[in-house]
Amino acid sequence: MSLKEKLETDLSTAMKARDEVRTRTLRMALTAVKTEEVAGKQSRALSDEDVVKVLAREAKKRREAATAFGDAGREEQAQAERDEGKVLEEYLPAPLGEAELTALVADAIAETGAAGPRAMGQVMKVVNPKVAGRAEGGRVAAEVRRQLAQ
């Protein structure tokens, strides 16, 4: 069963259970997936890897919105965004720990033979496919920058 099919089955189950948060979140996620499928010149079916990228993007939006609502003193909306984020995280791979990320970046630097901050693009090309959906790009870039500066 593909990830998209799992989302659809879970949506059906959530609707039957009258779980409003889960239903709302899964509908939003499936809408984002379907929008991504028809984006561009030709529609296409997304692979599980592509669906994970879409879900990761949606989860990031939820975290940012929760922070914004929290800063504005709108705790009820912030909690709703956090609840949606928790539902989305169930479908994402486990996030990378600091040690794992450090090791992946070190391997990529060794693999490319990169040295100095100018080689950051080379290293990012190698690291990004390995961390897809498991770490935010800013966090990865910061680690690459840190290791290249040494």
Side-chain angles (χ1 to χ4, degrees), residues 35-86:
T35 301
E36 187 70 22
E37 285 179 333
V38 297
K41 295 184 184 221
Q42 257 186 324
S43 64
R44 66 198 194 288
L46 296 181
S47 67
D48 279 354
E49 187 177 299
D50 293 333
V51 173
V52 166
K53 287 179 185 175
V54 171
L55 293 179
R57 191 169 53 230
E58 292 298 320
K60 182 179 180 188
K61 286 179 188 175
R62 297 298 161 275
R63 283 192 300 276
E64 291 171 351
T67 303
F69 282 131
D71 291 346
R74 299 175 69 184
E75 200 50 47
E76 190 174 307
Q77 286 95 338
Q79 187 57 48
E81 294 292 337
R82 282 192 286 272
D83 292 343
E84 288 181 9
K86 286 178 188 168

Side-chain angles (χ1 to χ4, degrees), residues 60-140:
K60 182 179 180 188
K61 286 179 188 175
R62 297 298 161 275
R63 283 192 300 276
E64 291 171 351
T67 303
F69 282 131
D71 291 346
R74 299 175 69 184
E75 200 50 47
E76 190 174 307
Q77 286 95 338
Q79 187 57 48
E81 294 292 337
R82 282 192 286 272
D83 292 343
E84 288 181 9
K86 286 178 188 168
V87 171
L88 288 173
E89 286 173 12
E90 294 174 21
Y91 298 95
L92 295 172
L96 281 175
E98 287 301 319
E100 291 174 293
L101 181 59
T102 302
L104 278 173
V105 171
D107 291 345
I109 289 172
E111 183 181 320
T112 59
R118 289 178 177 239
M120 186 168 170
Q122 287 178 301
V123 178
M124 289 297 287
K125 280 182 192 172
V126 174
V127 173
N128 275 336
K130 295 177 182 174
V131 300
R134 297 175 55 201
E136 285 186 18
R139 192 172 144 221
V140 175

